[in-house]
Amino acid sequence: MHPIVECVPNFSEGRRPEVVAQIVEAIRSVADVRVLDVESDADHNRSVITFIGPPHAVEEAAFRAAARAAQLIDMEQHRGEHPRMGATDVIPFVPAREVTMADCVAMARRVGRRLGEELGIPVYLYEEAATRETRRNLADVRRGEYEGIKAEIATNPEREPDFGPRQLGPAGATAVGARPFLIAYNVNLATTNLEVARAIAKAVRHSSGGLRYVKALGLGIKERGIVQVSMNMTNYEGTPLHRAFEMVKREAARYGVNVASSEIVGLAPQAALLQAAEFCLQLENFQPAQILENRLAESPQDQPAAQMAGFLDAVAAGTPTPGGGSVAALAGALGAALEMMVANLTLGRKKYAAVEADMESIRARAQALRSELAGLVARDSAAYEQVMAAYRLPKDAPEREGTIQAALLGAAEVPLTVAEKALEVIELAAITASKGNPNATSDAVVGAYMARAAVDGAALNVRTNLTRMTDASRAHELRRRVDEIQSRAQGVVTSIESRLNF
């Protein structure tokens, strides 16, 4: 199994989805990284993004996200209910699988140094990565927020950052650290009295005598006309969610206030929710093996071979989707996987040290292409289903023709994207076949053949949809592009075969 790190950066933007989308895209631009969740809150004016991946990829994604946020978020203009000090307010690294806390501490320090040196952002290391005990607690690091830190950073020794300049620009400062898994859990109260929420938060949080492993703040949610006890559960086994909920509920009752609801921000371990279920339902001798999904996960039906068999069954069935376009995308993804395989078989061997950098680059790009083409398998089916839905509209419906044309365009653009990505795979194959481990040359060429099949299949689907388009200019441009891609693909494959004497 490969090592996995979780990263849950918080950004000081929750009201402009286009900005959040650009930050997410910066994270997704790194190969091997998978975005699991994006949560934005307009009242807090804050977004929390959860992503995972191998340590080197997660480091790079965290840096790219912070760099993008620094370009898009101005802390001089930022206002929100949640405490904050920077465009990228906090970057925690969490060990998820085959990674130690020490590994995450090292990651935090490397990323912190890059933010300070390359972006000029003051960085404070916190939690397990903290360089001084007074900075372990994020609330202590962030005290005074952006405005307070800006006023003191140049003169107060306690505000001197671990990395970066002793001055705050529009991107503010960032806390970077390593910590165990944390659950962000909020309980909403049916009142507008902020003092009640603050009093309950004080009673609940550990630092003022409340529950162990709970940090809490009282916040106002103006748009909803309520207040909130916002909690970070730093050890859900030591203090389970239901215990925090019950304490908030009892404290609220003292003020004649009801609990309106509660919410989890981001992701939570299944075990934390099972604890709450056992408590609320008073279950006896309950075991995780009694959960249907857990048993299904153990089933052979969840294995890769069975999943592939399921896809083949779906293709073979008497339904229009998945069809040739989806199969073409899958062929491209398989080709990318083979180029990644050849790169992996070349990396780390002394005799191929001269091409190490080339193979690292190819592996990263092949991984990204594999993921993109795999996603296009489903997108192609969805695009064709839109076409079928458009044709099912009543023939006298005024919107029918416009809907059909829009659907046809979408159904042409998806396979065009497949062709473009598959051409990139063929171009990677030209390098792996000539520079990669010669024992895997045939695998590199098979990858090229699979990608060429993807190009040819996708091109056929593009042309099929263009025949019914009424926008002749747009159809001509798409046909020109796919013709060019197909010609280039065949040229590269022929070059590979000629060079290798195939």
Side-chain angles (χ1 to χ4, degrees), residues 25-338:
E25 189 56 36
I27 294 170
R28 286 185 170 141
S29 70
V30 179
D32 296 335
V33 165
R34 180 182 172 197
V35 176
L36 299 180
D37 187 68
V38 180
E39 293 271 355
S40 295
D41 187 293
D43 287 297
H44 289 186
N45 202 5
R46 190 176 185 85
S47 292
V48 179
I49 302 173
T50 304
F51 63 93
I52 60 171
H56 69 279
V58 168
E59 277 190 45
E60 180 62 26
F63 177 80
R64 291 188 193 182
R68 196 75 184 107
Q71 296 171 341
L72 299 170
I73 300 170
D74 183 354
M75 293 305 296
E76 291 291 334
Q77 308 300 321
H78 182 272
R79 298 293 182 273
E81 289 295 322
H82 200 286
R84 81 287 182 270
M85 64 181 187
T88 303
D89 196 56
V90 57
I91 302 176
F93 296 103
V94 183
R97 186 179 75 191
E98 294 189 11
V99 174
T100 66
M101 186 62 74
D103 294 330
C104 289
V105 168
M107 291 176 65
R109 292 177 178 174
R110 285 192 296 266
V111 170
R113 184 177 297 278
R114 285 190 69 189
L115 294 179
E117 293 178 354
E118 298 179 36
L119 301 181
I121 295 174
V123 171
Y124 297 91
L125 297 171
Y126 81 106
E127 285 279 356
E128 298 300 320
T131 55
R132 58 182 86 171
E133 194 61 30
T134 54
R135 290 186 180 171
R136 290 186 68 88
N137 189 342
L138 179 60
D140 293 333
V141 173
R142 199 162 49 199
R143 184 167 288 117
E145 301 187 44
Y146 171 77
E147 292 77 11
I149 297 171
K150 182 180 181 181
E152 297 182 353
I153 190 170
T155 57
N156 185 347
E158 291 300 313
R159 293 293 199 183
E160 182 179 2
D162 291 291
F163 301 109
R166 294 192 67 172
Q167 63 180 27
L168 253 60
T174 299
V176 184
R179 60 163 174 77
F181 197 91
L182 174 150
I183 302 175
Y185 180 54
N186 302 328
V187 179
N188 300 317
L189 306 176
T191 179
T192 58
N193 192 331
L194 183 56
E195 292 308 312
V196 169
R198 288 174 173 167
I200 295 172
K202 182 177 180 181
V204 171
R205 64 176 170 254
H206 178 250
S207 63
S208 52
L211 296 171
R212 187 76 174 95
Y213 309 119
V214 174
K215 300 177 181 180
L217 292 170
L219 302 173
I221 310 298
K222 294 177 182 177
E223 287 188 2
R224 296 178 59 184
I226 60 174
V227 295
Q228 179 183 86
V229 179
S230 179
M231 294 176 281
N232 280 343
M233 312 292 292
T234 61
N235 182 338
Y236 69 86
E237 293 177 331
T239 301
L241 295 181
H242 62 263
R243 190 168 300 157
F245 177 82
E246 288 296 325
M247 184 166 180
V248 170
K249 183 178 178 181
R250 289 178 180 241
E251 288 290 325
R254 294 177 54 217
Y255 298 96
V257 171
N258 292 323
V259 168
S261 62
S262 71
E263 61 183 357
I264 291 172
V265 180
L267 305 183
Q270 184 184 71
L273 303 180
L274 291 181
Q275 287 176 337
E278 286 186 73
F279 175 82
C280 294
L281 300 177
Q282 299 183 39
L283 298 175
E284 291 186 3
N285 304 316
F286 182 76
Q287 299 295 324
Q290 292 176 258
I291 298 172
L292 174 62
E293 287 77 7
N294 287 350
R295 299 303 295 272
L296 290 175
E298 299 168 1
S299 166
Q301 293 301 312
D302 198 42
Q303 300 307 311
Q307 292 178 338
M308 179 57 74
F311 179 75
L312 294 175
D313 288 343
V315 172
T319 56
T321 58
S326 293
V327 170
L330 179 59
L334 289 170
L338 280 170

Side-chain angles (χ1 to χ4, degrees), residues 395-453:
K395 292 189 176 181
D396 58 351
E399 73 277 12
R400 185 174 189 267
E401 185 57 28
T403 303
I404 288 173
Q405 292 303 312
L408 287 171
L409 177 60
E413 288 180 332
V414 171
L416 179 63
T417 303
V418 170
E420 291 170 338
K421 303 296 181 185
L423 173 60
E424 284 194 65
V425 174
I426 296 171
E427 292 169 341
L428 293 182
I431 303 172
T432 57
S434 61
K435 294 185 178 182
N437 187 328
N439 295 320
T441 298
S442 62
D443 299 295
V445 178
V446 170
Y449 288 162
M450 294 296 293
R452 182 179 61 184

